[in-house]
Every structure is written in C-alpha cells, then in structure tokens.
Amino acid sequence: MATHYFTASSLDGFIATAEHSLDWLLSQDIDLEGPMAYPAFEKSIGALVMGASTFEWVMRHEEGRWTYTQPTWVLSHRDLAVPAGADVRVTSADIRDVHSAMLDAAGGKDLWVVGGGDLAGQFADAGLLDEVWVQYAPVTLGSGAPLLPRRLDLELIEVARNRSFLCGRYRVARPGAGSSAP
C-alpha cells in the first residue's frame, strides 16, 4: 500500500485559483484512457483524504452528488454538510490518526491525498506520503493554491505525455535516504 498525492497543476505551480476553482482544468485536453490518467489511478484507491476547500469544490462541481465509493476523510475545523449515504468523515484529527484509519479502511488498496497542496505537505511532513503524481496543464494562473507549499525532495520514476498534459510520477525521498549531501 502506498499513499499518493495525485493532482493537476498549472505550469506555474498552482492547483486551484485564489477562489479555489478548478474550472481552468476542465477546459484542458486530456485522454481519460491515456497514460497516467485519473480513471485508472482512481481504481487502485481504497481510501481518500481531502481538505474542506476541495470537498466543497467537488460538491459544487457535482451539484451535490458524491461520486466516490471509497471511504473519504475531509479535514476541517468547521461543520460541513455530508451527502446522504456517502462514506464521508469530517474530522480535525491528527494526520497520523487519519492515515491509520485510512489504512484500516482501504482494504489493501492505496491511499489518495486528493488535495490541497498543504494537506499533501502535512502528510509528507509526517513521513506518510510515498508518491506525488502531477499532470501539468498548459496554462498559467499567476496565483492561487500552490502545488506543494514546502520543500520536498522527489525522485522522478515515470513520465508521460497525455495529449496537452505533461505527466510526472515522483517518489518522495525520505530525509537522509541515499543522500551524501550535508
């Protein structure tokens, strides 16, 4: 089992606009059956975690319908309306506790940190993030929510082109692992 941060980014490193919108992404040309595309990735996932802004965007975009079948944790310090019948758990628990609960619920499948970048960074800070998958869209936003608002050392393990997207899959380097640098 691995914990992945799978996301799209503008070329200038933003995953959403300052207003938390992903509308810029939905107009881009990608082959959903192509290399490193979302549908195949999502089938390998047993549990998800996302921040409140991502959850609210998904709910607006899907017009209140919850389309994920996997157990999902939403990290928030405020109350959020959860769709009836959805396995969505709103929590402000520690990242390590959330990760442990996700592992228990995932049925041997991988975990997905859906967003945002700071949440993925918190998983990385705790040593709980294994891979970062980024689909770079041919657009710049100028500002917004950063891809990862902290330093992470990554090792490129796969690259692909999917129509207009440059797709990269990276392994998160653990501090001190294989490094001779001071």
Side-chain angles (χ1 to χ4, degrees):
M1 294 176 64
T3 303
H4 306 277
Y5 175 41
F6 181 99
T7 192
S9 175
S10 64
L11 288 179
D12 55 348
F14 298 103
I15 61 172
T17 67
E19 296 78 30
H20 305 288
S21 174
L22 300 177
D23 291 340
W24 62 272
L25 177 61
L26 302 178
S27 64
Q28 303 301 316
D29 184 26
I30 193 164
D31 178 0
L32 293 178
E33 302 302 318
M36 299 180 71
Y38 165 81
F41 171 82
E42 197 257 339
K43 288 178 185 172
S44 71
I45 298 302
L48 300 82
V49 63
M50 63 184 66
S53 294
T54 301
F55 175 76
E56 290 173 326
W57 185 89
V58 169
M59 294 306 298
R60 280 191 311 274
H61 178 72
E62 296 295 336
E63 298 174 351
R65 294 181 313 267
W66 188 249
T67 59
Y68 295 109
T69 59
Q70 301 92 333
T72 302
W73 282 255
V74 178
L75 272 68
S76 180
H77 292 288
R78 55 193 163 89
D79 291 330
L80 298 171
V82 174
D87 190 355
V88 175
R89 307 151 196 210
V90 179
T91 183
S92 60
D94 181 86
I95 291 292
R96 289 168 191 82
D97 295 334
V98 171
H99 188 264
S100 179
M102 291 172 67
L103 286 171
D104 290 343
K109 289 186 164 187
D110 289 349
L111 309 181
W112 179 17
V113 180
V114 179
D118 186 60
L119 179 59
Q122 291 174 49
F123 274 77
D125 292 347
L128 301 172
L129 188 65
D130 300 303
E131 291 186 358
V132 175
W133 297 48
V134 184
Q135 282 59 24
Y136 292 98
V139 63
T140 58
L141 299 178
S143 66
L147 173 64
L148 269 162
R150 64 201 5 86
R151 179 184 171 163
L152 280 184
D153 290 323
L154 305 170
E155 174 191 352
L156 181 63
I157 55 176
E158 186 178 357
V159 66
R161 177 181 180 181
N162 186 321
R163 293 194 183 150
S164 296
F165 285 77
L166 174 62
C167 308
R169 180 178 167 205
Y170 303 86
R171 181 176 299 116
V172 176
R174 302 291 182 229
S179 173
S180 59

